[in-house]
Amino acid sequence: MDDLLLGNADFLRGIFDAIPAMLLIVDDDVRILHVNATASNNLSLDIRDIYKKRGGEVLHCIHATDVPEGCGRGPACKDCLIRNSVNKAVQGGATYRLNTKMELTSGGDTRDLQMLITASPFQYESRTYVLMVLEDISELIRLRSLLPICAHCKKIRNSQGYWKEIADYLSTHIEVKFTHGLCEECAHKLYPKYFPQ
């Protein structure tokens, strides 16, 4: 009985719709052939309205209308990670995962989102399609970017729980070099005879 379930289209559709990530099935030109319920709800998509439209048109990419030919044809499209991931998946037959910053427009507003994109190829009736998974990781990136800093001495706690000077912490994590100087307020406090008010 259980083996028969996998051959049942309604059962497979139920699984596809139950997955909490946004799933899109696309062809090699990133034309959307199917979306799951999560993508449909989160992106306000109706498959009847988006069927065979290119991803940038559906996701409201700011470059989708750069040229009359539409998504995938403009100068900025050569750097599109969604398009490039789909192309690599189709050509290489392997799954690609990347995270990228995307600018999407909706109702005249532009939103910056940090997205994790997974493109996984599969074959059906001798054609290659791609299952695209789009995950909004903006909140995760924001949380990762929060630094625990001492309210008094301004040292930063690292992942091992040790407190480090801010210059040491930043030079270790983002490879920056610091020069030192004094702001006017500190110069007045520390050296009032040389920096009078």
Side-chain angles (χ1 to χ4, degrees), residues 36-68:
N36 72 343
T38 303
S40 182
N41 294 336
N42 286 352
L43 300 172
S44 301
L45 304 177
D46 184 331
I47 191 63
R48 295 169 296 205
D49 298 332
I50 64 166
Y51 182 67
K52 289 202 172 183
K53 288 186 179 176
R54 293 188 191 109
E57 296 159 359
V58 171
L59 297 173
H60 307 289
C61 171
I62 62 170
H63 300 292
T65 57
D66 284 355
V67 295

Side-chain angles (χ1 to χ4, degrees), residues 51-172:
Y51 182 67
K52 289 202 172 183
K53 288 186 179 176
R54 293 188 191 109
E57 296 159 359
V58 171
L59 297 173
H60 307 289
C61 171
I62 62 170
H63 300 292
T65 57
D66 284 355
V67 295
E69 295 83 15
C71 172
R73 305 307 185 259
C77 299
K78 68 180 172 48
D79 296 324
C80 174
L81 290 182
I82 288 179
R83 182 163 290 282
N84 290 338
S85 296
V86 168
N87 289 339
K88 286 178 184 177
V90 168
Q91 293 167 5
T95 298
Y96 288 87
R97 284 175 64 88
L98 311 156
N99 77 47
T100 185
K101 187 175 183 180
M102 292 177 64
E103 294 177 279
L104 302 177
T105 59
S106 178
D109 294 328
T110 300
R111 295 182 301 154
D112 289 335
L113 298 175
Q114 195 72 34
M115 299 291 284
L116 178 61
I117 301 166
T118 305
S120 187
F122 67 95
Q123 296 283 318
Y124 180 72
E125 295 182 352
S126 359
R127 285 203 58 202
T128 301
Y129 299 95
V130 174
L131 175 64
M132 240 179 35
V133 182
L134 300 177
E135 298 172 85
D136 181 358
I137 57 171
S138 302
E139 184 176 351
L140 177 63
I141 296 296
R142 277 193 300 277
L143 290 174
R144 282 182 88 195
S145 66
L146 294 176
L147 294 175
I149 188 167
C150 175
H152 179 70
C153 70
K154 308 302 184 215
K155 287 182 183 175
I156 294 177
R157 189 177 65 230
N158 67 16
S159 57
Q160 290 82 34
Y162 296 106
W163 292 94
K164 296 183 80 173
E165 296 289 333
I166 192 166
D168 292 338
Y169 181 89
L170 293 176
S171 64
T172 301

